[in-house]
Structure formats: C-alpha cells, structure tokens
Amino acid sequence: MTALVGLSTSSESTHLRVYREANSRDEAAQFPYFRFNVLRGMDDIGLEEWSKVEVMTDFTRSYLQSPLVDDELRRCAGGLVNPAAFEST
C-alpha cells in the first residue's frame, strides 16, 4: 500500500521526466505527450477525502473548460482517433 501511495503522490517527477523525453532535442525521439492536471484548488484535498467529490468535480470542470486545455484535449483526442496525424507533425 505504501508503494501505491508513493506512486500516486510523486507524479510530478515522472511527468517532468516524460515531458523532457517527449520534447527531446532529437526530433526522432520526440513523441506526443499530454498531461491533464487540475492546477488550482485541489492542493488542500487529500487522497482520502472522497466526500469532497463535488468540490473536485467543480474544479475539474472549470479546468477542462479553459480554452488552452480544450485545445489540448482536442489535439489529444485527434491523435487517438488518427495516430498518423501525429506522425506527420
């Protein structure tokens, strides 16, 4: 259980490592990478606080309605529907 908690709470270092790899200076090594992460409001909500699901839902909806996030969601979905589109960029 401790390992699972560690993995779920140390995602920032993993994200940074994968982000660097995805945006490598070596174009042949680059790959599409998306991270959707609610940036504001969730900091004070612990993993055990499932009772705050409505608050978390509100924060998540607000995050997803941001124009920049909407663009990224569309690009990500487009790549899932048509992976060849990513290969040509």
Coordinates of all heavy atoms in Angstrom, one line a residue:
M1 N 0.8 -1.2 0.0 CA 0.0 0.0 0.0 C 0.9 1.3 0.0 O 0.5 2.2 -0.7 CB -0.9 -0.1 1.2 CG -1.9 1.1 1.3 SD -3.1 1.0 0.0 CE -4.3 2.1 0.6
T2 N 2.0 1.2 0.7 CA 2.9 2.4 0.8 C 3.4 2.7 -0.6 O 3.5 3.9 -0.9 CB 4.0 2.1 1.8 OG1 3.4 1.8 3.1 CG2 4.9 3.3 1.9
A3 N 3.8 1.7 -1.3 CA 4.3 1.9 -2.7 C 3.3 2.6 -3.6 O 3.6 3.5 -4.4 CB 4.8 0.6 -3.3
L4 N 2.0 2.1 -3.5 CA 0.9 2.7 -4.3 C 0.7 4.2 -3.9 O 0.6 5.0 -4.8 CB -0.4 1.9 -4.1 CG -1.6 2.4 -4.9 CD1 -1.3 2.3 -6.3 CD2 -2.8 1.6 -4.5
V5 N 0.7 4.5 -2.7 CA 0.6 5.9 -2.3 C 1.8 6.7 -2.8 O 1.6 7.8 -3.3 CB 0.5 6.0 -0.7 CG1 0.6 7.5 -0.3 CG2 -0.8 5.4 -0.2
G6 N 3.0 6.2 -2.7 CA 4.2 6.9 -3.2 C 4.1 7.1 -4.7 O 4.4 8.2 -5.1
L7 N 3.6 6.2 -5.4 CA 3.5 6.3 -6.9 C 2.4 7.4 -7.2 O 2.6 8.2 -8.1 CB 3.1 5.0 -7.6 CG 4.2 4.0 -7.7 CD1 3.6 2.7 -8.2 CD2 5.3 4.5 -8.7
S8 N 1.3 7.4 -6.5 CA 0.3 8.3 -6.8 C 0.6 9.8 -6.4 O -0.1 10.7 -6.8 CB -1.1 7.9 -6.3 OG -1.0 7.8 -4.9
T9 N 1.5 9.9 -5.5 CA 1.8 11.3 -5.0 C 3.1 11.8 -5.5 O 3.4 13.0 -5.2 CB 1.8 11.3 -3.4 OG1 2.7 10.3 -3.0 CG2 0.4 11.0 -2.8
S10 N 3.8 11.1 -6.2 CA 5.1 11.6 -6.8 C 5.0 11.7 -8.3 O 6.0 11.5 -9.0 CB 6.2 10.6 -6.4 OG 6.1 9.4 -7.0
S11 N 3.9 12.0 -8.8 CA 3.7 12.0 -10.2 C 4.4 13.2 -10.9 O 4.7 13.1 -12.1 CB 2.2 12.0 -10.6 OG 1.6 13.2 -10.0
E12 N 4.7 14.2 -10.2 CA 5.3 15.4 -10.8 C 6.7 15.1 -11.4 O 7.0 15.5 -12.5 CB 5.4 16.6 -9.8 CG 5.8 17.9 -10.4 CD 4.8 18.4 -11.4 OE1 3.6 18.1 -11.4 OE2 5.2 19.2 -12.3
S13 N 7.5 14.3 -10.6 CA 8.8 14.0 -11.1 C 8.7 13.1 -12.4 O 9.5 13.2 -13.3 CB 9.7 13.3 -10.0 OG 9.1 12.1 -9.6
T14 N 7.8 12.2 -12.4 CA 7.6 11.3 -13.5 C 7.1 12.1 -14.7 O 7.6 12.0 -15.8 CB 6.5 10.2 -13.2 OG1 7.0 9.4 -12.1 CG2 6.3 9.3 -14.4
H15 N 6.2 13.1 -14.5 CA 5.7 13.9 -15.6 C 6.9 14.7 -16.2 O 7.0 14.8 -17.4 CB 4.7 14.9 -15.0 CG 4.6 16.2 -15.8 ND1 4.1 16.2 -17.1 CD2 4.9 17.5 -15.5 CE1 4.1 17.4 -17.6 NE2 4.6 18.2 -16.6
L16 N 7.7 15.3 -15.3 CA 8.9 16.1 -15.8 C 9.8 15.3 -16.7 O 10.3 15.7 -17.7 CB 9.6 16.8 -14.7 CG 8.8 17.9 -14.0 CD1 9.5 18.3 -12.7 CD2 8.5 19.0 -14.9
R17 N 10.1 14.0 -16.2 CA 11.0 13.1 -17.0 C 10.4 12.8 -18.4 O 11.0 12.9 -19.4 CB 11.3 11.9 -16.2 CG 12.2 10.9 -16.9 CD 12.6 9.7 -16.0 NE 11.5 9.1 -15.3 CZ 10.6 8.2 -15.8 NH1 10.8 7.8 -17.1 NH2 9.6 7.7 -15.2
V18 N 9.1 12.4 -18.4 CA 8.5 12.1 -19.6 C 8.3 13.3 -20.5 O 8.6 13.2 -21.8 CB 7.1 11.4 -19.4 CG1 6.3 11.2 -20.7 CG2 7.3 10.1 -18.6
Y19 N 8.0 14.4 -20.0 CA 7.9 15.7 -20.7 C 9.2 16.0 -21.4 O 9.3 16.3 -22.6 CB 7.5 16.8 -19.8 CG 7.4 18.1 -20.6 CD1 6.2 18.5 -21.2 CD2 8.4 19.0 -20.6 CE1 6.1 19.7 -21.9 CE2 8.3 20.2 -21.3 CZ 7.1 20.5 -22.0 OH 7.0 21.7 -22.7
R20 N 10.3 15.9 -20.7 CA 11.7 16.1 -21.3 C 11.9 15.1 -22.5 O 12.5 15.5 -23.5 CB 12.8 16.0 -20.3 CG 12.9 17.2 -19.4 CD 14.1 17.2 -18.5 NE 14.2 16.1 -17.6 CZ 13.7 16.0 -16.4 NH1 13.2 17.1 -15.9 NH2 13.8 15.0 -15.6
E21 N 11.6 13.9 -22.3 CA 11.8 12.9 -23.3 C 10.9 13.2 -24.5 O 11.4 13.1 -25.7 CB 11.5 11.5 -22.8 CG 12.5 11.0 -21.8 CD 12.2 9.7 -21.2 OE1 11.3 8.9 -21.8 OE2 12.7 9.3 -20.1
A22 N 9.7 13.5 -24.3 CA 8.7 13.8 -25.4 C 9.1 15.0 -26.2 O 8.9 15.1 -27.4 CB 7.3 14.0 -24.8
N23 N 9.8 16.0 -25.5 CA 10.2 17.2 -26.2 C 11.8 17.3 -26.4 O 12.4 18.3 -26.3 CB 9.8 18.4 -25.4 CG 8.3 18.5 -25.4 OD1 7.6 18.9 -26.3 ND2 7.6 18.1 -24.3
S24 N 12.3 16.1 -26.6 CA 13.8 16.0 -26.8 C 14.3 16.9 -27.9 O 13.6 17.2 -28.9 CB 14.1 14.5 -27.1 OG 15.4 14.4 -27.5
R25 N 15.5 17.3 -27.8 CA 16.2 18.0 -28.9 C 16.3 17.1 -30.2 O 16.4 17.6 -31.3 CB 17.5 18.5 -28.5 CG 17.4 19.6 -27.5 CD 18.8 20.1 -27.1 NE 18.6 21.1 -26.1 CZ 19.6 21.9 -25.6 NH1 20.8 21.8 -26.2 NH2 19.4 22.8 -24.7
D26 N 16.4 15.8 -30.0 CA 16.4 14.9 -31.0 C 15.0 14.6 -31.6 O 14.2 14.0 -30.9 CB 17.0 13.6 -30.5 CG 17.1 12.5 -31.6 OD1 16.7 12.7 -32.8 OD2 17.5 11.3 -31.2
E27 N 14.7 15.2 -32.7 CA 13.4 15.1 -33.3 C 12.9 13.7 -33.5 O 11.7 13.4 -33.3 CB 13.3 15.9 -34.6 CG 13.3 17.4 -34.4 CD 13.1 18.2 -35.7 OE1 12.4 17.6 -36.6 OE2 13.6 19.3 -35.8
A28 N 13.8 12.8 -33.8 CA 13.4 11.4 -34.0 C 13.0 10.7 -32.7 O 12.2 9.7 -32.7 CB 14.6 10.6 -34.6
A29 N 13.3 11.3 -31.6 CA 13.0 10.7 -30.3 C 11.7 11.4 -29.7 O 11.2 10.9 -28.7 CB 14.1 10.9 -29.3
Q30 N 11.2 12.4 -30.3 CA 10.0 13.1 -29.8 C 8.8 12.3 -30.0 O 8.7 11.5 -31.0 CB 9.9 14.5 -30.5 CG 11.0 15.4 -30.2 CD 10.9 16.7 -30.9 OE1 10.0 16.9 -31.7 NE2 11.8 17.7 -30.7
F31 N 7.8 12.5 -29.1 CA 6.5 11.8 -29.3 C 5.5 12.7 -28.6 O 5.8 13.6 -27.8 CB 6.5 10.5 -28.6 CG 6.9 10.4 -27.2 CD1 6.0 10.6 -26.2 CD2 8.3 10.3 -26.8 CE1 6.4 10.6 -24.8 CE2 8.7 10.3 -25.5 CZ 7.7 10.4 -24.5
P32 N 4.2 12.6 -29.0 CA 3.1 13.4 -28.4 C 2.9 13.0 -27.0 O 2.9 11.9 -26.6 CB 1.9 13.1 -29.3 CG 2.3 12.1 -30.3 CD 3.7 11.7 -30.1
Y33 N 2.8 14.0 -26.1 CA 2.6 13.8 -24.7 C 1.7 14.8 -24.2 O 1.9 16.0 -24.4 CB 4.0 13.9 -24.0 CG 3.8 13.8 -22.5 CD1 3.4 12.6 -21.8 CD2 4.1 14.9 -21.7 CE1 3.3 12.6 -20.5 CE2 4.0 14.9 -20.3 CZ 3.6 13.7 -19.7 OH 3.4 13.7 -18.3
F34 N 0.7 14.4 -23.5 CA -0.3 15.3 -22.9 C -0.5 14.9 -21.4 O -0.5 13.8 -21.1 CB -1.7 15.1 -23.6 CG -1.7 15.4 -25.0 CD1 -1.4 14.5 -26.0 CD2 -1.9 16.7 -25.5 CE1 -1.4 14.8 -27.3 CE2 -1.9 17.1 -26.8 CZ -1.6 16.1 -27.7
R35 N -0.6 16.0 -20.6 CA -0.9 15.8 -19.2 C -2.0 16.7 -18.8 O -1.9 17.9 -19.0 CB 0.3 16.1 -18.3 CG 0.0 15.8 -16.9 CD 1.2 16.1 -16.0 NE 0.9 15.6 -14.6 CZ 1.5 16.1 -13.6 NH1 2.4 17.1 -13.7 NH2 1.3 15.6 -12.4
F36 N -3.1 16.1 -18.3 CA -4.2 16.9 -17.9 C -4.2 16.9 -16.4 O -4.4 15.8 -15.8 CB -5.5 16.4 -18.5 CG -5.4 16.5 -20.0 CD1 -5.2 15.3 -20.8 CD2 -5.6 17.7 -20.7 CE1 -5.1 15.4 -22.2 CE2 -5.5 17.7 -22.1 CZ -5.3 16.6 -22.8
N37 N -4.0 18.1 -15.8 CA -3.8 18.1 -14.4 C -4.5 19.4 -13.8 O -4.0 20.5 -14.1 CB -2.3 18.2 -14.1 CG -1.9 18.1 -12.7 OD1 -2.6 17.5 -11.9 ND2 -0.8 18.8 -12.3
V38 N -5.5 19.2 -13.0 CA -6.1 20.4 -12.4 C -5.1 21.1 -11.5 O -4.5 20.5 -10.6 CB -7.3 19.9 -11.5 CG1 -8.0 21.1 -10.9 CG2 -8.3 19.2 -12.4
L39 N -4.8 22.4 -11.8 CA -3.8 23.1 -11.2 C -4.2 23.9 -9.9 O -3.4 24.1 -9.0 CB -3.1 24.1 -12.2 CG -2.6 23.4 -13.4 CD1 -2.1 24.5 -14.4 CD2 -1.4 22.5 -13.1
R40 N -5.4 24.3 -9.9 CA -5.8 25.1 -8.7 C -7.0 24.5 -8.0 O -7.9 24.0 -8.5 CB -6.3 26.5 -9.2 CG -5.1 27.3 -9.7 CD -5.6 28.8 -10.0 NE -4.5 29.7 -10.2 CZ -3.8 29.7 -11.3 NH1 -4.0 28.9 -12.3 NH2 -2.9 30.6 -11.5
G41 N -6.9 24.6 -6.6 CA -8.0 24.2 -5.8 C -7.9 22.8 -5.2 O -8.4 22.5 -4.2
M42 N -7.1 21.9 -5.8 CA -7.1 20.5 -5.4 C -5.9 20.3 -4.3 O -5.9 19.2 -3.7 CB -6.8 19.6 -6.5 CG -7.9 19.7 -7.6 SD -9.4 18.9 -7.2 CE -9.3 17.4 -8.1
D43 N -5.1 21.3 -4.2 CA -3.9 21.1 -3.3 C -4.3 20.7 -1.8 O -3.6 20.0 -1.2 CB -3.1 22.4 -3.2 CG -2.5 22.7 -4.6 OD1 -2.5 21.9 -5.4 OD2 -2.1 23.9 -4.7
D44 N -5.4 21.3 -1.4 CA -5.8 21.1 0.0 C -6.7 19.9 0.2 O -7.2 19.6 1.3 CB -6.5 22.3 0.6 CG -5.6 23.5 0.6 OD1 -4.4 23.3 0.8 OD2 -6.1 24.6 0.4
I45 N -7.0 19.1 -0.8 CA -7.8 17.9 -0.8 C -7.0 16.7 -0.8 O -6.2 16.4 -1.7 CB -8.8 17.9 -1.9 CG1 -9.7 19.1 -1.9 CG2 -9.7 16.6 -1.8 CD1 -10.6 19.3 -3.1
G46 N -7.0 15.9 0.3 CA -6.2 14.7 0.4 C -6.8 13.5 -0.3 O -8.0 13.5 -0.7
L47 N -6.0 12.5 -0.6 CA -6.5 11.3 -1.3 C -7.6 10.6 -0.6 O -8.4 10.0 -1.3 CB -5.3 10.3 -1.5 CG -4.1 10.8 -2.4 CD1 -3.0 9.8 -2.4 CD2 -4.6 11.1 -3.8
E48 N -7.7 10.7 0.7 CA -8.7 10.0 1.5 C -10.0 10.8 1.5 O -11.0 10.3 2.1 CB -8.2 9.7 2.9 CG -8.1 10.9 3.8 CD -7.0 11.9 3.5 OE1 -6.1 11.6 2.7 OE2 -7.0 13.0 4.1
E49 N -10.1 12.0 1.0 CA -11.2 12.9 1.1 C -12.3 12.7 0.0 O -12.6 13.6 -0.7 CB -10.8 14.3 1.3 CG -10.0 14.6 2.5 CD -9.6 16.0 2.7 OE1 -10.5 16.7 3.3 OE2 -8.5 16.4 2.3
W50 N -12.7 11.5 -0.1 CA -13.7 11.1 -1.2 C -15.0 11.9 -1.0 O -15.7 12.1 -2.0 CB -13.9 9.6 -1.2 CG -14.5 9.1 0.1 CD1 -13.7 8.6 1.1 CD2 -15.8 9.1 0.5 NE1 -14.5 8.3 2.1 CE2 -15.8 8.6 1.8 CE3 -17.0 9.5 0.0 CZ2 -17.0 8.4 2.6 CZ3 -18.2 9.4 0.7 CH2 -18.2 8.8 2.0
S51 N -15.3 12.3 0.2 CA -16.5 13.1 0.4 C -16.5 14.4 -0.2 O -17.6 15.0 -0.4 CB -16.8 13.2 1.9 OG -15.7 14.0 2.5
K52 N -15.4 14.9 -0.7 CA -15.3 16.2 -1.4 C -15.4 16.0 -2.9 O -15.0 16.9 -3.7 CB -14.0 16.9 -1.0 CG -14.0 17.3 0.5 CD -12.8 18.1 0.8 CE -12.8 18.5 2.2 NZ -11.6 19.3 2.6
V53 N -16.0 14.9 -3.3 CA -16.1 14.7 -4.8 C -16.8 15.8 -5.5 O -16.4 16.1 -6.7 CB -16.8 13.3 -5.0 CG1 -18.3 13.3 -4.7 CG2 -16.6 12.9 -6.5
E54 N -17.8 16.4 -5.0 CA -18.5 17.5 -5.7 C -17.6 18.7 -5.9 O -17.6 19.3 -6.9 CB -19.8 17.9 -4.9 CG -20.9 16.9 -5.1 CD -22.1 17.3 -4.3 OE1 -22.4 18.5 -4.2 OE2 -22.9 16.4 -4.0
V55 N -16.8 19.0 -4.9 CA -15.8 20.1 -5.0 C -14.8 19.8 -6.1 O -14.4 20.6 -6.9 CB -15.1 20.4 -3.6 CG1 -14.0 21.4 -3.8 CG2 -16.2 20.8 -2.6
M56 N -14.3 18.5 -6.0 CA -13.3 18.1 -7.0 C -13.9 18.2 -8.4 O -13.2 18.5 -9.4 CB -12.8 16.7 -6.7 CG -11.9 16.7 -5.4 SD -11.2 15.1 -5.1 CE -12.5 14.2 -4.4
T57 N -15.1 17.8 -8.6 CA -15.8 17.8 -9.8 C -15.9 19.2 -10.4 O -15.6 19.5 -11.5 CB -17.2 17.2 -9.7 OG1 -17.1 15.8 -9.3 CG2 -18.0 17.2 -11.0
D58 N -16.2 20.2 -9.5 CA -16.3 21.6 -9.9 C -15.0 22.1 -10.4 O -14.9 22.8 -11.4 CB -16.8 22.4 -8.7 CG -18.3 22.2 -8.4 OD1 -19.0 21.6 -9.3 OD2 -18.7 22.6 -7.3
F59 N -13.9 21.8 -9.6 CA -12.6 22.2 -10.0 C -12.2 21.6 -11.4 O -11.6 22.3 -12.2 CB -11.5 21.8 -9.0 CG -11.5 22.7 -7.7 CD1 -11.5 22.1 -6.5 CD2 -11.5 24.1 -7.8 CE1 -11.5 22.9 -5.3 CE2 -11.5 24.9 -6.7 CZ -11.5 24.3 -5.4
T60 N -12.5 20.3 -11.5 CA -12.1 19.6 -12.8 C -12.9 20.2 -14.0 O -12.3 20.5 -15.0 CB -12.4 18.1 -12.6 OG1 -11.7 17.6 -11.5 CG2 -12.0 17.4 -13.9
R61 N -14.2 20.4 -13.8 CA -15.0 21.0 -14.9 C -14.5 22.4 -15.3 O -14.3 22.7 -16.5 CB -16.4 21.1 -14.5 CG -17.1 19.8 -14.6 CD -18.6 20.0 -14.6 NE -19.2 18.6 -14.8 CZ -20.1 18.1 -14.0 NH1 -20.5 18.7 -12.9 NH2 -20.6 16.9 -14.3
S62 N -14.1 23.2 -14.3 CA -13.6 24.5 -14.6 C -12.3 24.4 -15.3 O -12.1 25.2 -16.3 CB -13.4 25.3 -13.2 OG -12.8 26.5 -13.5
Y63 N -11.4 23.5 -14.9 CA -10.1 23.3 -15.6 C -10.4 22.9 -17.0 O -9.7 23.4 -18.0 CB -9.4 22.3 -14.8 CG -8.2 21.7 -15.5 CD1 -7.0 22.5 -15.6 CD2 -8.2 20.5 -16.1 CE1 -5.9 22.0 -16.3 CE2 -7.1 20.0 -16.8 CZ -5.9 20.7 -16.9 OH -4.8 20.2 -17.5
L64 N -11.3 21.9 -17.3 CA -11.5 21.4 -18.6 C -12.1 22.4 -19.5 O -12.0 22.3 -20.8 CB -12.3 20.1 -18.5 CG -11.6 18.9 -17.9 CD1 -12.6 17.8 -17.7 CD2 -10.4 18.5 -18.7
Q65 N -12.8 23.4 -19.0 CA -13.4 24.5 -19.8 C -12.5 25.6 -20.2 O -12.9 26.4 -21.0 CB -14.7 25.0 -19.1 CG -15.8 24.0 -19.0 CD -16.9 24.4 -18.1 OE1 -16.8 25.4 -17.4 NE2 -18.0 23.7 -18.1
S66 N -11.3 25.6 -19.7 CA -10.3 26.6 -20.1 C -10.0 26.4 -21.6 O -9.8 25.3 -22.1 CB -9.0 26.4 -19.3 OG -7.9 26.9 -19.9
P67 N -9.9 27.5 -22.3 CA -9.6 27.4 -23.8 C -8.3 26.7 -24.1 O -8.3 25.9 -25.0 CB -9.5 28.9 -24.2 CG -10.4 29.6 -23.3 CD -10.2 28.9 -21.9
L68 N -7.3 26.9 -23.3 CA -6.0 26.2 -23.6 C -6.1 24.7 -23.4 O -5.6 23.9 -24.1 CB -4.9 26.7 -22.7 CG -4.5 28.2 -23.0 CD1 -3.4 28.7 -22.0 CD2 -3.9 28.3 -24.4
V69 N -6.8 24.3 -22.3 CA -7.0 22.9 -22.0 C -7.9 22.3 -23.1 O -7.6 21.2 -23.6 CB -7.6 22.7 -20.6 CG1 -7.9 21.2 -20.4 CG2 -6.6 23.2 -19.6
D70 N -8.9 23.0 -23.5 CA -9.8 22.5 -24.5 C -9.0 22.2 -25.8 O -9.2 21.2 -26.5 CB -10.9 23.5 -24.8 CG -12.0 23.0 -25.8 OD1 -12.6 21.9 -25.5 OD2 -12.2 23.6 -26.8
D71 N -8.1 23.1 -26.2 CA -7.3 22.8 -27.4 C -6.4 21.6 -27.2 O -6.3 20.8 -28.1 CB -6.3 24.0 -27.6 CG -6.9 25.1 -28.4 OD1 -8.0 25.0 -28.9 OD2 -6.2 26.2 -28.6
E72 N -5.8 21.4 -26.0 CA -5.0 20.2 -25.8 C -5.9 19.0 -25.8 O -5.4 17.9 -26.4 CB -4.3 20.3 -24.5 CG -3.1 21.3 -24.5 CD -2.0 20.9 -25.4 OE1 -1.3 19.9 -25.1 OE2 -1.8 21.5 -26.5
L73 N -7.1 19.0 -25.3 CA -8.0 17.9 -25.3 C -8.3 17.5 -26.7 O -8.3 16.3 -27.1 CB -9.3 18.2 -24.5 CG -9.2 18.1 -23.0 CD1 -10.5 18.7 -22.4 CD2 -9.0 16.7 -22.6
R74 N -8.6 18.5 -27.6 CA -8.9 18.2 -29.0 C -7.7 17.6 -29.7 O -7.8 16.7 -30.5 CB -9.4 19.5 -29.6 CG -10.7 19.9 -29.2 CD -11.2 21.2 -29.8 NE -12.4 21.7 -29.2 CZ -13.6 21.3 -29.3 NH1 -13.8 20.3 -30.2 NH2 -14.6 21.8 -28.7
R75 N -6.5 18.1 -29.4 CA -5.3 17.6 -30.1 C -5.1 16.1 -29.6 O -4.7 15.3 -30.4 CB -4.1 18.4 -29.8 CG -4.1 19.8 -30.5 CD -2.8 20.5 -30.3 NE -1.6 19.7 -30.6 CZ -0.5 19.6 -29.8 NH1 -0.5 20.1 -28.6 NH2 0.5 18.8 -30.2
C76 N -5.2 15.9 -28.3 CA -5.0 14.6 -27.8 C -6.0 13.6 -28.4 O -5.7 12.5 -28.9 CB -5.1 14.6 -26.3 SG -4.9 13.0 -25.5
A77 N -7.3 14.0 -28.4 CA -8.4 13.1 -29.0 C -8.1 12.9 -30.5 O -8.3 11.8 -31.0 CB -9.7 13.7 -28.8
G78 N -7.7 13.9 -31.2 CA -7.4 13.8 -32.6 C -6.3 12.7 -32.8 O -6.3 11.9 -33.8
G79 N -5.3 12.8 -32.0 CA -4.2 11.8 -32.1 C -4.6 10.4 -31.8 O -4.1 9.4 -32.4
L80 N -5.6 10.2 -30.9 CA -6.1 8.9 -30.6 C -7.0 8.4 -31.7 O -6.9 7.2 -32.0 CB -6.9 9.0 -29.3 CG -6.1 9.2 -28.0 CD1 -7.1 9.5 -26.8 CD2 -5.2 8.1 -27.7
V81 N -7.7 9.3 -32.3 CA -8.6 8.8 -33.4 C -7.8 8.6 -34.7 O -8.1 7.7 -35.5 CB -9.7 9.9 -33.7 CG1 -10.5 9.6 -34.9 CG2 -10.6 10.0 -32.5
N82 N -6.8 9.5 -34.9 CA -5.9 9.4 -36.1 C -4.5 9.5 -35.7 O -3.8 10.6 -35.9 CB -6.3 10.5 -37.1 CG -5.6 10.5 -38.4 OD1 -4.9 9.5 -38.7 ND2 -5.7 11.5 -39.1
P83 N -3.9 8.4 -35.3 CA -2.5 8.4 -34.8 C -1.5 8.9 -35.9 O -0.5 9.5 -35.6 CB -2.2 7.0 -34.4 CG -3.5 6.4 -34.2 CD -4.5 7.1 -35.1
A84 N -1.8 8.6 -37.2 CA -0.9 9.0 -38.3 C -0.8 10.5 -38.3 O 0.3 11.0 -38.8 CB -1.5 8.5 -39.6
A85 N -1.7 11.3 -37.8 CA -1.6 12.8 -37.8 C -0.5 13.2 -37.0 O 0.2 14.2 -37.2 CB -2.9 13.4 -37.3
F86 N -0.2 12.5 -35.9 CA 0.9 12.8 -35.0 C 2.2 12.5 -35.7 O 3.2 13.2 -35.5 CB 0.8 12.1 -33.7 CG -0.1 12.8 -32.7 CD1 -1.1 12.1 -32.1 CD2 0.1 14.1 -32.4 CE1 -1.9 12.7 -31.2 CE2 -0.7 14.8 -31.5 CZ -1.7 14.0 -30.9
E87 N 2.3 11.4 -36.4 CA 3.5 11.0 -37.1 C 4.0 12.0 -38.1 O 5.1 12.1 -38.4 CB 3.3 9.6 -37.7 CG 3.1 8.5 -36.7 CD 2.7 7.2 -37.3 OE1 2.8 7.1 -38.6 OE2 2.3 6.3 -36.6
S88 N 3.0 12.8 -38.7 CA 3.4 13.7 -39.7 C 3.8 15.1 -39.2 O 4.2 16.0 -39.9 CB 2.3 13.9 -40.7 OG 1.1 14.5 -40.1
T89 N 3.6 15.4 -37.9 CA 4.0 16.7 -37.3 C 5.3 16.7 -36.6 O 5.9 15.7 -36.4 CB 2.9 17.1 -36.3 OG1 2.8 16.2 -35.2 CG2 1.6 17.3 -36.9

